[in-house]
Each structure stands twice: as structure tokens, then as C-alpha cells.
Amino acid sequence: MAATEFADLSDEELLAREAELDRRWDVVREEHQRLYGERRKVKREKSRRGLFLPPLHDDDAEPDMSPSEKLNTALAESKKRRQQRP
């Protein structure tokens, strides 16, 4: 199939097409690497803020709290319950 697709191109045209595709590939790869790096930074920041945490069962009770605040509250409540055990 490829032989018929490029049959009408001369050797120079085929080489020029390859060079153009290589140039475009480099541009796409650089953009991909830039976006991948930016995405990693965003994920790292989300993790730092606690946004990867699963929602707590009572999320609707205090919707204005950030996920990290909810986690800290839940941890404090858990600690209190453990300390109250005989």
C-alpha cells in the first residue's frame, strides 16, 4: 500500500517529505514533553494540597472546607475517639 501511496513522488520529494515529518515530529515531541512536565507539576501541587484524597463521607456537611482541612479535622476527631477509649 505504501508503495502505491508514494509512487508519484520523486526521490527528492520523498526525502523532503521525510524531513518535514521529522521536523513536525520534533515540534510535537517538544510540546508533549512541555505539557507532560506541566501536568506533573500540577499533580504534585494537587498532592501537596491533599486534593488526591478520596471525599469524606460527610462532605456535604461542610462544603467550604478544603480537602486538606477536612483531612485534618477527620484525623483530629479520630485521635479524640482513640484517646477516649478505656
Side-chain angles (χ1 to χ4, degrees), residues 38-74:
E38 187 174 335
R39 188 169 178 254
R40 285 185 62 200
K41 289 177 189 177
V42 168
K43 283 187 170 192
R44 207 172 15 249
E45 180 63 14
K46 281 177 56 181
S47 179
R48 188 186 71 77
R49 293 183 185 191
L51 298 175
F52 279 140
L53 301 172
L56 299 175
H57 67 282
D58 60 346
D59 271 352
D60 296 332
E62 303 175 64
D64 57 337
M65 292 178 68
S66 73
S68 57
E69 290 172 328
K70 291 177 188 177
L71 174 64
N72 290 335
T73 302

Side-chain angles (χ1 to χ4, degrees), residues 20-38:
E20 173 62 18
L21 290 173
D22 286 344
R23 187 195 61 75
R24 287 176 48 199
W25 174 251
D26 289 340
V27 169
V28 168
R29 190 185 65 204
E30 288 171 5
E31 178 68 5
H32 173 267
Q33 289 174 339
R34 187 188 65 74
L35 290 173
Y36 182 79
E38 187 174 335

